[in-house]
């Protein structure tokens, strides 16, 4: 037991941050924050064994300018739509 890592890891901390934010409005299904940051459920972000990689909004295909994060689909929407 002495060599095992304690259950409280960096990932656990990020998940607690996520849960605390979601608890403010548990029925929300979309999260809007112009030029904000996505609210990740895990500390290592996307593409680290948690689904598709996402390097942010990227560049506009039309003008080449930077795009901004604006809208996030929350897990509650998937539940409301009965998506597995």
């Amino acid at each position: 037991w002495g060599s095992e890592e304690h259950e409280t890891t960096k990932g656990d901390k990020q998940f607690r941050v996520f849960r605390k934010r979601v608890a403010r409005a548990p029925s929300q299904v979309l999260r809007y924050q112009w030029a904000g940051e996505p609210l990740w459920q895990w500390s290592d972000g996307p593409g680290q064994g948690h689904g598709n990689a996402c390097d942010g909004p990227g560049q506009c295909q039309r003008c080449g300018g930077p795009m901004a994060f604006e809208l996030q689909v929350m897990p509650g929407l998937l539940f409301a739509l009965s998506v597995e």
Side-chain angles (χ1 to χ4, degrees), residues 13-41:
K13 181 179 178 184
Q14 182 60 36
F15 186 68
R16 284 193 306 272
V17 168
F18 176 82
R19 296 281 303 187
K20 185 176 179 180
R21 177 68 63 89
V22 171
R24 294 180 190 172
S27 63
Q28 72 179 345
V29 293
L30 298 173
R31 182 173 166 266
Y32 180 84
Q33 184 184 20
W34 174 250
E37 292 287 328
L39 180 60
W40 300 116
Q41 293 184 32

Side-chain angles (χ1 to χ4, degrees), residues 29 75-83:
V29 293
L77 180 61
L78 302 177
F79 177 77
L81 295 175
S82 299
V83 175

Side-chain angles (χ1 to χ4, degrees), residues 4 7 13 16 20 23 26 28 31 39-40 42 46 49 51 53 55 58-60 64-65 69 84:
E4 290 185 21
E7 288 183 12
K13 181 179 178 184
R16 284 193 306 272
K20 185 176 179 180
Q28 72 179 345
R31 182 173 166 266
L39 180 60
W40 300 116
W42 51 86
D55 294 327
Q59 304 293 323
C60 174
F69 169 82
E84 293 182 25

Side-chain angles (χ1 to χ4, degrees), residues 40-56:
W40 300 116
Q41 293 184 32
W42 51 86
S43 61
D44 52 1
Q48 304 296 318
H50 297 288
N52 295 331
C54 175
D55 294 327

